Amino acid sequence: MAKITPARVLKDLLIIAMSIAVVWLGMQFFFGTTNPFYVVVSGSMIPVIDVYDIIVVQERHSFEDVGIGDIIVFNRPEIKKVVVHRIVSVTNEDPREVRTKGDNNPESIPGIDYPITNEEYIGRVMYTASHVEYGTKLIEPPVNFAIIALVLGVVAVWHVTNARKIAGTKAEPGGDRPDKAKSG
């Protein structure tokens, strides 16, 4: 039976980690932002964007290029939150400032929806993945830790199964084991 060595397990885990890194870096390059995905946690944009929808943000649209009607993502460090709302007006051109409002909110909220400047701007919403609430709920702790443990378990089982297959292919033709005498 072939041995499962720590070096072999480490090699496979490195391949998995490198694959994830390549995909993540590719998405960052394509969307032009370090974090292209956000999970919506409030109902302020219903019915356009629901709670637990995943939004894809593209930073390549500069703050100067966004306008009234665009849905943007911006940072509000005062409340330690990232907000997703629609631009409803441009309040100043130099320096540029915009006012936003959640589609489901009755009016703009001072300190949250305005003023938004280039410093708070993260990017423009390009895509929305709706009806994935169960998937996004799965990635919350502690379920995300269980998923990681499951993936590592699958890798370990794969190693054991693969090692047995390799050991089985080294048997003599005809299926006879060389260490057993034929009875007859």
Side-chain angles (χ1 to χ4, degrees):
M1 182 174 192
K3 288 186 178 182
I4 300 173
T5 64
R8 187 170 173 192
V9 172
L10 181 61
K11 175 186 155 198
D12 286 346
L13 290 175
L14 283 173
I15 289 170
I16 291 169
M18 287 177 19
S19 299
I20 291 170
V22 166
V23 168
W24 184 254
L25 290 173
M27 288 188 296
Q28 288 178 348
F29 176 76
F30 181 78
F31 291 110
T33 182
T34 55
N35 184 12
F37 302 102
Y38 290 87
V39 177
V40 177
V41 295
S42 83
S44 67
M45 286 300 292
I46 290 174
V48 176
I49 301 173
D50 285 321
V51 177
Y52 298 118
D53 281 357
I54 296 175
I55 58 172
V56 181
V57 176
Q58 189 164 28
E59 194 175 83
R60 288 190 182 136
H61 284 87
S62 75
F63 187 63
E64 300 300 319
D65 293 337
V66 294
I68 296 172
D70 287 337
I71 299 172
I72 63 169
V73 178
F74 53 95
N75 192 15
R76 279 303 191 200
E78 309 85 30
I79 60 170
K80 298 179 182 171
K81 296 205 185 251
V82 172
V83 180
V84 180
H85 282 173
R86 185 182 306 277
I87 296 176
V88 293
S89 67
V90 177
T91 57
N92 196 15
E93 282 296 340
D94 192 22
R96 186 175 174 90
E97 291 180 354
V98 299
R99 177 189 289 243
T100 65
K101 182 179 103 46
D103 290 357
N104 198 29
N105 294 346
E107 57 189 47
S108 295
I109 303 167
I112 302 290
D113 288 315
Y114 63 92
I116 308 299
T117 65
N118 189 48
E119 287 75 34
E120 291 92 17
Y121 176 71
I122 294 173
R124 185 173 138 208
V125 174
M126 298 303 296
Y127 307 102
T128 303
S130 297
H131 310 294
V132 291
E133 56 269 4
Y134 297 113
T136 55
K137 286 179 185 179
L138 283 177
I139 60 175
E140 293 177 355
V143 177
N144 59 346
F145 299 123
I147 292 171
I148 292 168
L150 178 67
V151 168
L152 292 175
V154 168
V155 169
V157 168
W158 179 81
H159 275 289
V160 170
T161 305
N162 196 30
R164 287 185 182 153
K165 286 180 183 177
I166 291 170
T169 59
K170 292 181 181 177
E172 298 272 316
D176 292 332
R177 292 182 47 184
D179 58 341
K180 298 285 182 184
K182 288 185 181 181
S183 61

